[in-house]
Amino acid sequence: MEQMIRKLYLYTRKEENQEEAISKEFQKEIVAMLRTEIGQKNESEFERARDIAFMIGAAGEENGFIKGFKYAYHLFMECNQKIQEKESKSGFQQDYVLRVIRGKLNRCCVRN
């Protein structure tokens, strides 16, 4: 499942036309932090630290996406289970949109 979520993350970034490894906002934050710590003293040290920080940031963004997606999926499945329990007890018919989402998530995530 994790490989599929990674592919989804990469696809999402591609769809958003984000060719850089990390978002522009995150890049700005990293550069600002490094400028504060390193300053203008040594440009080559700054560039090296910036490149390393960008790699770490990219890994963090990707892993954050994966963890968030997994959490959302488990939360959805828990809600889905509660709805099914409610349906079986009261004959409650779930909303069409929820059925569509449930079907898409199951096809997307459960197969792998």
Side-chain angles (χ1 to χ4, degrees), residues 2-110:
E2 192 163 320
Q3 266 316 88
M4 189 179 66
I5 298 171
R6 283 186 195 282
K7 287 179 185 176
L8 178 62
Y9 173 75
L10 295 173
Y11 177 78
T12 302
R13 295 209 34 99
K14 186 177 179 181
E15 284 291 304
E16 295 172 353
N17 292 323
Q18 296 182 2
E19 295 181 15
E20 292 84 15
I22 59 175
S23 66
K24 296 274 188 204
E25 297 82 24
F26 201 20
Q27 287 180 19
K28 289 177 186 176
E29 289 180 40
I30 290 171
V31 168
M33 283 186 248
L34 289 174
R35 287 284 181 212
T36 301
E37 293 300 316
I38 297 173
Q40 302 293 335
K41 298 176 235 169
N42 187 338
E43 193 63 26
S44 65
E45 181 183 337
F46 168 79
E47 288 174 3
R48 185 175 184 284
R50 180 200 61 207
D51 292 345
I52 292 169
F54 282 1
M55 287 187 285
I56 293 167
E61 279 191 346
E62 183 174 341
N63 286 316
F65 179 90
I66 291 167
K67 285 185 179 188
F69 190 94
K70 284 181 177 180
Y71 178 79
Y73 177 76
H74 290 293
L75 181 62
F76 176 80
M77 294 308 287
E78 183 179 325
C79 292
N80 188 33
Q81 181 180 3
K82 293 195 184 304
I83 288 171
Q84 286 178 344
E85 289 170 4
K86 188 175 181 180
E87 285 176 344
S88 67
K89 289 179 184 174
S90 66
F92 171 79
Q93 289 296 316
Q94 64 184 340
D95 182 68
Y96 171 75
V97 174
L98 188 55
R99 286 194 313 262
V100 170
I101 292 171
R102 180 192 299 166
K104 286 185 184 280
L105 274 176
N106 283 332
R107 282 192 303 277
C108 171
C109 300
V110 173

